[in-house]
Amino acid sequence: MGKIQNAVGIMFATLFCIVICYGIWGEVFLQDERLSDEGFCNTYTEGWSQLLPDGGMIDIVVPSNLDDYGQGSVTICNKIPNNIGEDEYIVFLGSKQDIDVYIDGQLREAFSTKATRVFGKNSPTYYLTVRLKGDDAGKSISITCYSKSKYVGAVSEILYANYRGFSNYIMDSQAPGFAVAIVMAIISIISLAISLGLAVIYKKKQILTSISIGVLIVALWMIFDSMFRQYMFPNVSVISDVTFMMVALLPFPFAAFADQIQGKRYEKIYLAIKILNIAEIIIAMLLYCFGICELFESFIVMAGILGILLFTIVVTVIRDVITHHIKEYLLLAIALFLAGFVMLVLIIIYLQSDETFNITLATIGLFVLLAVTMVNTIRDIYTLSREKQEALKKSYAKSQFLANMSHEIRTPINTILGMNSMILRKNGDKEIAGYSQDIQSACKILLSLINDILDFSKIESGKMELLDNDYDIVTILGDISATIKNLATDKGLEFNLVVDERLPRYMFGDDRRIRQILINLLSNAVKYTQEGNVTFSIQLEALEDGYADLHFWVKDTGIGVKSEDILKLSKEYVRVDEMENKNIEGTGLGISIVVNLLKMMNSELLIESTYNEGSTFHFILKQKVISNEVVGNIQDKIDRLYIENDEAESFTISGARLLVVDDNMINRKVFVHLLSDMQCTIDEADSGKACLELVQSNKYDIIFMDYMMPEMDGVQTLHCMKDLGDYVNAATPVVIVTANAISGAREAYLAEGFDQYLSKPIDIKKLRKIISSYIEPEKKKVCDGNDEKDIDKAGEVNDENEITDVRDELPDIDGVNWDIALFNMEKTEVLKGAISDFLVMANMEMITLEEVYGKIEESYAEFRIQAHSMKTHAATIGAVHVAGLAKYLEYAARDEELDTIERLMPLFSVQWRQLVSQLDSAFGKKKYTDIKKQPIAAEELKDKLDALSAAVDDVDIDEADRIIEELDAYSFEADAVEVFERLKAYVLDMDSDNTVMIIDKWKKLIK
């Protein structure tokens, strides 16, 4: 039914366009028939006689319908009034007739449109003007009208006048209705534009569209039928045709309107009327074009179809009254009936009269109908907007819930990945490494499946993006085959991997999305296959201009899909054959996500399926080739993959010198620890300023730059380095290290001039890969695994129980995840050192944050940097909950959301101090509980502060730490406690400027 409706609608639209084009073409290219002479106007209705065939004369009344006595013409005669002056006119309204005018037996004017019209035999209704001369007064005048239509013998009004009088006559009789028709056309065009806009916005057909088209057709009919057409249009014949065509088009939009407001309950009946309307238009036009039947002779059929439509509306409305459906559209039904009734009455009047009808009357019902429809549309828009808002709220709540759940699930999976990564790095048993690699692949796949939920939300909101990069197809196939093979084996299925050996190995594209597409298709194939096999194959279709066309196939011997259900596969949350597959788990999002991702990649998922026999899903992707190396034997490549990964991780870079730039001391320590097994020299800089000093005096192999630092961030520091010109590190690669891992961040940083991008928390594999790619070959030594010294230096664990025992040494603390902390630092000694550093800085961090919070409206950026620093500190030691709150504060400062900051700040302050208290109880230095701390003498305090200042100036770290430890054994006045806490933090972070500032401040407090 829907296809038929669409076809009929297209046919109507085509016919409408043909009519409009015909009118434009005729008016532009055919002969100009407009009134060009100035006229005059007075009635000339008395003294007329009709000339009979036998030569006799009978008096007649004008206007009137005269008998043509079978001659096909009538002739009327009279005397020209004696008061006719020079350059005055007799005006004769011809009704579809050719006209000859004789004065004193001489042909003065002839009117016929045979040479100016395209189709038909009859001239249109037309005002013929006959110019009179001064000596024409009292002469005889005869007018002969010819016609082959029923209008022969129709004698309409006859006038004589000058131009001004005739113009006034036309204006008085036609202008009001014509103006109304123009206004109605303008309003209908505006309402049509509005309705089409609403249809696009709300993706829903509007009833205002069909009624606007209907009113526009009526308005055009009225304009074209007005006698003003002789002033407006060059060719009256064509515009007369268009007038009748507009009437013929009229039933269609009103039928569509009635069908819409009645909720498609009588769709078949209205469809039949629309088809009948289309057929009648086509037949009438063909008959007219071939000269068989004039358009006005088909007018009765046109009116008949409109009558059928009105009758149908009445009957269906009565039925809806009986079935209580009328309340859905009561006002619209009344307005529609009124408009239809008025139009039908006017058409009947038109058929019975030789004159045009009063078009002002025709607007009554139409304006009421249009107004009611617009009111109804406004009400619908309000309802839709309200429903849309409700839907958006529900969708947002759903998305938030799914996002929160996904993050909650991903947290333990990330922990598993982290711990498993440690096993891969530290275990020497190849069999265990193989099992561990399978765990790694399975966890990655599980994360991918969980991300489907978030991905679908991104697709819904239009935020999904493709992130292209270099990738190894063997790595993708290795991960996928390991996971899918295990799934298939568990079900007793055979899994086949068939890869074209000509396939390029290294390509450029979004490997993560390709992996996601394939996993979704393959996991579906396994789920819906109970016996037999699943075959995954890739074929190289074409290779030219550096691009490869890859044809991916996933074929199974499963339950298949019914032909009528294939289209349902791409719908979200929909599963076909629900009862048959009720035991099969899944979200119903997989294929929908695949379809959308392939669309983003300019591809399409093709499905071939036979119910109860199996299915084949396939698609073609165009990928950029970045290497001439081919895959070859895929199984050999996959088997070598794990060995290559191990070899890539085990190397040292003795003789290399690296620079780590980060304002966060704990971050620097973690970074140094991660590289502790690589036998290289690592320098540290706590600010962009310190970095600029070091890079001008020391040559580095790689510089790792943190982004978010106070005063001068990583990007600003890099730009300053480039401004140094030709210096010792001008060609040294600079790697940005940041927690900003959002879409597009990598490209943005590389565009700023960084050579590589590394996200936090740092993945040791990615870190080693970056170092391996930039370090000079002569400084790199690969560990072969047999040299015990190399193994120890590469960070291998000699005690096989260390991994399992490590967490037993750590106390349970609320909100702290030791697995995450150990993933960052691996050894308890390093972790305890980081916690000790954290405790020294923690109180000072909170004091600083509270100070910045007090003036936050002056500098959101300063608050954001401090919150970011505290987030990193907490995350490093595994305090995930506190780190999460700090992250919210950081983002709120970024967006300048003061309300959010004010709401979260008290909670964060409490939780931060609780964390510090618990960590201090478990890991803090021994408190002087047995011996009460004694106050320090003022002079001794000044001496120690002077000594501390000197140690800081000399960069004597050990001496500065010793002095701080001595001061920690004393008690201080209340106003000095906070000062001492700050001093400890600045000394620990070797912040000489702030250390000197705090010492000077403290000296002023000493009495």
Side-chain angles (χ1 to χ4, degrees):
M1 184 66 70
K3 292 183 179 179
I4 297 175
Q5 288 277 19
N6 290 337
V8 172
I10 291 172
M11 290 180 68
F12 174 80
T14 303
L15 291 170
F16 183 78
C17 291
I18 290 173
V19 172
I20 295 297
C21 291
Y22 170 66
I24 294 173
W25 175 77
E27 295 307 316
V28 172
F29 295 105
L30 296 185
Q31 182 174 321
D32 193 330
E33 299 168 344
R34 285 179 289 194
L35 291 175
S36 57
D37 295 334
E38 293 186 357
F40 168 86
C41 192
N42 248 328
T43 59
Y44 187 23
T45 58
E46 296 179 355
W48 289 97
S49 302
Q50 179 181 0
L51 179 63
L52 301 177
D54 60 4
M57 302 286 288
I58 59 172
D59 294 336
I60 62 170
V61 176
V62 177
S64 127
N65 288 315
L66 306 178
D67 187 355
D68 69 339
Y69 300 100
Q71 299 298 307
S73 65
V74 296
T75 300
I76 60 174
C77 305
N78 204 345
K79 291 286 186 181
I80 298 176
N82 291 323
N83 59 346
I84 289 294
E86 190 73 27
D87 292 330
E88 293 181 355
Y89 300 82
I90 288 182
V91 184
F92 185 87
L93 180 62
S95 299
K96 301 174 181 60
Q97 301 174 83
D98 295 339
I99 303 171
D100 293 336
V101 178
Y102 296 86
I103 296 179
D104 234 9
Q106 298 295 318
L107 180 64
R108 178 67 62 87
E109 197 74 58
F111 169 70
S112 174
T113 59
K114 289 179 182 179
T116 64
R117 62 176 181 256
V118 181
F119 306 110
K121 303 174 182 178
N122 294 88
S123 298
T125 299
Y126 190 90
Y127 273 110
L128 175 65
T129 59
V130 181
R131 182 187 291 268
L132 299 176
K133 301 176 182 179
D135 58 357
D136 287 336
K139 293 182 179 179
S140 64
I141 180 171
S142 64
I143 301 174
T144 302
C145 303
Y146 308 89
S147 181
K148 295 181 180 180
S149 73
K150 65 177 182 177
Y151 290 96
V152 63
V155 178
S156 300
E157 57 189 345
I158 304 176
L159 311 167
Y160 71 90
N162 60 20
Y163 177 78
R164 182 182 297 276
F166 180 64
S167 298
N168 291 339
Y169 174 81
I170 293 294
M171 291 295 294
D172 291 342
S173 61
Q174 300 285 319
F178 182 79
V180 171
I182 292 292
V183 171
M184 190 162 67
I186 294 172
I187 292 175
S188 62
I189 291 172
I190 294 173
S191 62
L192 178 60
I194 292 172
S195 66
L196 293 175
L198 293 174
V200 172
I201 294 172
Y202 292 99
K203 296 180 174 59
K204 180 182 178 182
K205 292 182 179 179
Q206 301 291 316
I207 60 173
L208 187 59
T209 302
S210 53
I211 198 60
S212 297
I213 294 174
V215 174
L216 177 60
I217 290 173
V218 173
L220 293 176
W221 170 28
M222 295 175 177
I223 292 170
F224 298 155
D225 197 55
S226 165
M227 295 316 299
F228 273 103
R229 64 188 182 187
Q230 281 185 250
Y231 293 95
M232 297 173 58
F233 304 105
N235 191 285
V236 182
S237 299
V238 168
I239 212 64
S240 177
D241 292 344
V242 174
T243 300
F244 287 101
M245 293 175 185
M246 286 295 166
V247 177
L249 293 169
L250 196 56
F252 192 99
F254 285 98
F257 176 75
D259 189 23
Q260 285 179 291
I261 67 173
Q262 290 181 328
K264 300 287 184 180
R265 285 187 293 276
Y266 311 105
E267 184 177 18
K268 292 182 179 179
I269 298 174
Y270 287 115
L271 178 60
I273 293 175
K274 288 189 281 188
I275 294 174
L276 183 63
N277 186 205
I278 295 291
E280 181 271 330
I281 296 172
I282 294 174
I283 293 172
M285 287 183 175
L286 290 175
L287 292 175
Y288 178 56
C289 292
F290 287 102
I292 299 172
C293 180
E294 296 289 325
L295 283 178
F296 61 80
E297 293 174 338
S298 303
F299 194 77
I300 186 66
V301 180
M302 303 174 191
I305 294 176
L306 193 61
I308 293 172
L309 173 60
L310 184 59
F311 176 78
T312 302
I313 292 173
V314 172
V315 173
T316 53
V317 167
I318 293 173
R319 180 181 174 86
D320 281 350
V321 170
I322 296 172
T323 57
H324 304 292
H325 283 108
I326 191 65
K327 59 184 179 181
E328 299 172 8
Y329 64 100
L330 179 59
L331 290 178
L332 286 171
I334 295 172
L336 177 62
F337 182 80
L338 176 62
F341 180 77
V342 170
M343 290 306 303
L344 187 61
V345 169
L346 290 173
I347 290 174
I348 293 172
I349 294 173
Y350 188 84
L351 289 170
Q352 297 298 318
S353 173
D354 294 334
E355 299 181 0
T356 55
F357 57 82
N358 186 350
I359 57 179
T360 308
L361 181 63
T363 63
I364 298 174
L366 291 173
F367 273 131
V368 171
L369 179 57
L370 190 57
V372 172
T373 305
M374 293 186 74
V375 170
N376 187 78
T377 300
I378 294 171
R379 185 189 64 187
D380 288 345
I381 292 171
Y382 174 76
T383 303
L384 281 172
S385 299
R386 187 173 59 186
E387 290 176 352
K388 185 177 180 180
Q389 291 300 321
E390 291 296 324
L392 286 174
K393 288 181 181 179
K394 291 178 181 179
S395 177
Y396 178 76
K398 177 195 74 174
S399 298
Q400 285 295 103
F401 171 76
L402 293 177
N404 291 336
M405 286 302 297
S406 298
H407 285 297
E408 290 297 325
I409 296 171
R410 283 190 297 184
T411 299
I413 294 176
N414 280 322
T415 301
I416 295 171
L417 281 170
M419 296 299 101
N420 194 64
S421 177
M422 292 170 61
I423 296 173
L424 282 171
R425 291 178 55 200
K426 298 183 179 296
N427 183 73
D429 191 311
K430 289 188 177 180
E431 183 178 2
I432 294 177
Y435 294 148
S436 186
Q437 188 66 49
D438 288 343
I439 293 173
Q440 198 82 354
S441 297
C443 283
K444 288 180 180 178
I445 299 304
L446 183 56
L447 275 177
S448 177
L449 294 175
I450 291 170
N451 285 339
D452 280 354
I453 299 172
L454 293 179
D455 286 344
F456 182 72
S457 297
K458 290 179 182 178
I459 290 171
E460 278 188 323
S461 61
K463 296 179 180 178
M464 176 67 76
E465 295 180 351
L466 297 178
L467 301 176
D468 295 336
N469 59 103
D470 300 345
Y471 68 88
D472 179 0
I473 191 68
V474 174
T475 302
I476 296 177
L477 298 179
D479 289 345
I480 291 174
S481 61
T483 301
I484 300 302
K485 189 173 183 179
N486 287 335
L487 293 175
T489 302
D490 290 343
K491 291 189 68 174
L493 304 175
E494 180 184 355
F495 176 70
N496 302 313
L497 177 62
V498 182
V499 179
D500 191 335
E501 294 189 357
R502 303 171 300 151
L503 200 70
R505 177 167 181 175
Y506 298 101
M507 289 176 281
F508 182 80
D510 193 333
D511 57 318
R512 187 165 65 95
R513 296 305 177 193
I514 295 173
R515 186 192 305 264
Q516 183 178 1
I517 289 169
L518 296 175
I519 283 297
N520 279 340
L521 293 177
L522 286 164
S523 59
N524 264 5
V526 173
K527 280 195 297 185
Y528 290 97
T529 302
Q530 301 306 319
E531 58 182 21
N533 60 76
V534 173
T535 300
F536 172 36
S537 59
I538 310 176
Q539 185 72 27
L540 178 62
E541 293 288 338
L543 181 60
E544 56 183 47
D545 298 330
Y547 286 87
D549 289 340
L550 311 179
H551 200 159
F552 295 83
W553 301 78
V554 175
K555 186 175 182 179
D556 63 64
T557 58
I559 61 175
V561 183
K562 296 176 183 177
S563 58
E564 62 268 24
D565 289 335
I566 288 180
L567 292 177
K568 297 179 183 178
L569 289 176
S570 61
K571 293 184 178 180
E572 59 273 14
Y573 302 109
V574 173
R575 295 171 60 193
V576 299
D577 268 353
E578 189 72 33
M579 293 304 296
E580 294 289 333
N581 305 318
K582 59 184 178 182
N583 294 324
I584 296 177
E585 298 178 354
T587 61
L589 290 176
I591 300 299
S592 175
I593 291 174
V594 167
V595 168
N596 282 283
L597 288 177
L598 287 176
K599 186 177 181 181
M600 293 173 65
M601 295 178 175
N602 299 316
S603 183
E604 179 184 7
L605 181 66
L606 303 175
I607 305 172
E608 302 168 9
S609 185
T610 303
Y611 194 56
N612 288 328
E613 292 185 17
S615 304
T616 299
F617 296 80
H618 59 108
F619 59 91
I620 296 177
L621 277 184
K622 183 181 287 292
Q623 296 287 281
K624 185 178 181 180
V625 179
I626 60 175
S627 170
N628 294 326
E629 182 179 346
V630 297
V631 168
N633 187 309
I634 187 62
Q635 198 56 54
D636 288 346
K637 289 294 193 299
I638 291 175
D639 292 341
R640 283 286 306 163
L641 189 62
Y642 299 150
I643 299 174
E644 291 172 359
N645 286 340
D646 290 340
E647 290 176 350
E649 284 189 8
S650 303
F651 66 90
T652 60
I653 49 173
S654 178
R657 189 170 188 176
L658 311 181
L659 174 62
V660 178
V661 185
D662 196 318
D663 65 305
N664 188 311
M665 181 194 64
I666 297 177
N667 286 348
R668 297 197 304 273
K669 284 194 174 184
V670 170
F671 203 99
V672 170
H673 164 67
L674 290 174
L675 301 179
S676 61
D677 58 345
M678 303 198 76
Q679 303 180 19
C680 60
T681 301
I682 303 175
D683 290 349
E684 300 178 42
D686 61 0
S687 66
K689 181 180 178 182
C691 169
L692 293 175
E693 294 174 358
L694 289 174
V695 296
Q696 294 180 77
S697 57
N698 303 310
K699 175 68 177 75
Y700 295 104
D701 293 274
I702 307 174
I703 299 171
F704 293 92
M705 180 86 67
D706 182 45
Y707 167 64
M708 189 169 287
M709 297 184 292
E711 297 182 7
M712 186 185 297
D713 63 30
V715 172
Q716 293 169 330
T717 304
L718 176 68
H719 290 170
C720 289
M721 289 168 59
K722 291 185 179 297
D723 291 340
L724 294 175
D726 186 14
Y727 71 110
V728 66
N729 285 294
T732 301
V734 182
V735 180
I736 185 70
V737 184
T738 176
N740 183 8
I742 63 172
S743 172
R746 181 179 186 276
E747 290 73 14
Y749 288 124
L750 295 184
E752 291 288 351
F754 289 98
D755 296 277
Q756 192 51 274
Y757 165 90
L758 184 62
S759 62
K760 295 180 182 180
I762 297 171
D763 185 326
I764 185 62
K765 279 189 177 182
K766 292 181 180 178
L767 176 59
R768 288 174 181 271
K769 184 177 179 181
I770 290 173
I771 293 174
S772 178
S773 64
Y774 286 117
I775 210 71
E776 296 177 4
E778 58 269 19
K779 294 181 180 179
K780 179 179 175 183
K781 179 183 178 183
V782 178
C783 304
D784 59 13
N786 295 320
D787 188 337
E788 184 177 348
K789 182 178 179 181
D790 283 344
I791 292 175
D792 289 341
K793 289 181 179 179
E796 298 291 348
V797 181
N798 294 320
D799 184 358
E800 63 182 6
N801 296 320
E802 181 175 346
I803 294 176
T804 55
D805 292 344
V806 113
R807 285 184 298 278
D808 296 338
E809 303 175 14
L810 301 170
D812 291 333
I813 294 179
D814 292 340
V816 177
N817 187 323
W818 295 125
D819 290 335
I820 293 176
L822 289 169
F823 178 62
N824 291 330
M825 284 167 280
E826 299 184 3
K827 294 183 180 181
T828 52
E829 292 78 7
V830 178
L831 174 58
K832 289 178 180 178
I835 293 173
S836 177
D837 293 339
F838 174 83
L839 289 173
V840 170
M841 301 175 64
N843 288 330
M844 181 60 200
E845 290 278 316
M846 179 51 69
I847 291 170
T848 302
L849 184 69
E850 289 172 340
E851 285 182 352
V852 177
Y853 174 61
K855 54 179 181 179
I856 187 170
E857 294 187 33
E858 300 175 11
S859 178
Y860 281 96
E862 191 175 353
F863 184 89
R864 179 189 177 191
I865 291 173
Q866 183 61 27
H868 171 81
S869 175
M870 296 173 77
K871 175 195 72 176
T872 307
H873 289 163
T876 302
I877 63 171
V880 290
H881 295 304
V882 172
L885 281 174
K887 180 179 179 180
Y888 277 118
L889 287 171
E890 177 190 351
Y891 286 0
R894 177 196 64 188
D895 300 332
E896 297 188 1
E897 296 177 351
L898 184 58
D899 291 343
T900 302
I901 296 173
E902 290 176 342
R903 187 175 68 254
L904 292 179
M905 189 62 187
L907 176 62
F908 177 69
S909 177
V910 170
Q911 293 207 7
W912 179 272
R913 287 189 166 93
Q914 287 178 349
L915 172 67
V916 172
S917 176
Q918 292 182 74
L919 289 173
D920 190 52
S921 298
F923 298 97
K925 294 180 180 180
K926 182 179 179 182
K927 302 293 186 294
Y928 296 89
T929 53
D930 298 332
I931 303 174
K932 186 176 180 181
K933 285 186 178 183
Q934 298 297 319
I936 186 173
E939 289 302 320
E940 184 179 359
L941 177 58
K942 288 181 179 179
D943 291 341
K944 289 188 180 295
L945 290 177
D946 288 338
L948 178 60
S949 180
V952 171
D953 288 340
D954 296 338
V955 196
D956 190 343
I957 299 174
D958 293 336
E959 177 64 12
D961 287 342
R962 186 190 64 77
I963 295 172
I964 287 295
E965 190 171 349
E966 288 180 357
L967 288 172
D968 201 23
Y970 293 97
S971 64
F972 304 103
E973 297 292 335
D975 57 354
V977 172
E978 180 182 329
V979 177
F980 180 56
E981 290 296 329
R982 292 193 184 190
L983 184 61
K984 284 196 294 184
Y986 289 139
V987 170
L988 180 65
D989 206 27
M990 287 306 296
D991 187 339
S992 58
D993 292 339
N994 280 319
T995 299
V996 172
M997 181 270 293
I998 287 293
I999 290 174
D1000 292 341
K1001 180 179 179 180
W1002 200 352
K1003 283 182 178 180
K1004 294 177 182 179
L1005 294 175
I1006 299 174
K1007 298 177 182 178

